[in-house]
Amino acid sequence: PLATTFVGGAIHIALPSDLTYPLLVDPFVRTIGVASNEAFDNRNPDVAYEANGNRWCVVMEERVSILDTDIKVRRFGVDGTLLDTDYFETSGAVADQPAVAAAGPANGLGSGSFCVTWRERSLDIMARTVISTNASPTGVFAVFDSVAVLGSFALRPDVGGSSNGQF
């Protein structure tokens, strides 16, 4: 991997001196609107890229009311085309602090998947997964249940993925 920095609104990539040219930097980096012209407030976005399926996933909080936020998930093609929008959490509870990670395919073939985590009711950490090229997510499952661990509080969940399909 090459060393990268973000300075003055631009991404800088440090290249070794022994490279041959022409040089291809992949994937192509550009700006796309992920929540433009919407009636609701979208906050705390996170993004992941899954290389086998060539898909981007953006997760964010969508404030529905003063007492309700939902978890919105959008998948994009490598060119920035919006593929679909799904809501991974839509109860009347506050769901916030979303995070997303990508993992490669478990068997080395086909597409990988995304795992989205979030905090629910300021106490529990919940998650759902979805194949990067398929819009049908799994059911919601608890990663951390505050009732099972009395006196504990979930602060900010995060998730990581591996090239062999594990989160």
Side-chain angles (χ1 to χ4, degrees):
L2 301 173
T4 60
T5 57
F6 188 74
V7 178
I11 298 172
H12 296 266
I13 302 172
L15 302 175
S17 59
D18 59 346
L19 288 179
T20 59
Y21 296 92
L23 177 68
L24 174 66
V25 178
D26 192 17
F28 180 69
V29 177
R30 66 185 212 156
T31 303
I32 60 169
V34 297
S36 303
N37 302 317
E38 295 191 352
F40 296 107
D41 294 331
N42 295 294
R43 308 180 311 172
N44 293 325
D46 196 18
V47 64
Y49 175 72
E50 198 283 301
N52 288 49
N54 235 4
R55 301 284 192 264
W56 292 94
C57 183
V58 178
V59 61
M60 63 196 87
E61 296 171 23
E62 181 177 271
R63 182 167 295 282
V64 179
S65 73
I66 192 72
L67 299 174
D68 182 19
T69 52
D70 295 338
I71 301 300
K72 181 178 1 185
V73 177
R74 289 196 161 154
R75 289 181 321 116
F76 294 86
V78 70
D79 63 353
T81 302
L82 175 63
L83 301 174
D84 56 59
T85 299
D86 198 356
Y87 288 85
F88 277 24
E89 193 286 335
T90 58
S91 74
V94 172
D96 60 6
Q97 306 296 328
V100 63
N107 58 6
L109 302 172
S111 299
S113 57
F114 296 108
C115 182
V116 175
T117 62
W118 65 91
R119 183 176 68 167
E120 198 165 288
R121 298 183 332 262
S122 299
L123 301 172
D124 303 325
I125 297 176
M126 309 303 284
R128 284 181 98 169
T129 61
V130 63
I131 302 296
S132 70
T133 57
N134 182 342
S136 300
T138 63
V140 176
F141 58 93
V143 176
F144 177 83
D145 184 349
S146 62
V147 174
V149 187
L150 294 175
S152 297
F153 294 93
L155 297 177
R156 176 138 175 97
D158 205 355
V159 61
S162 69
S163 61
N164 66 356
Q166 302 296 310
F167 290 103

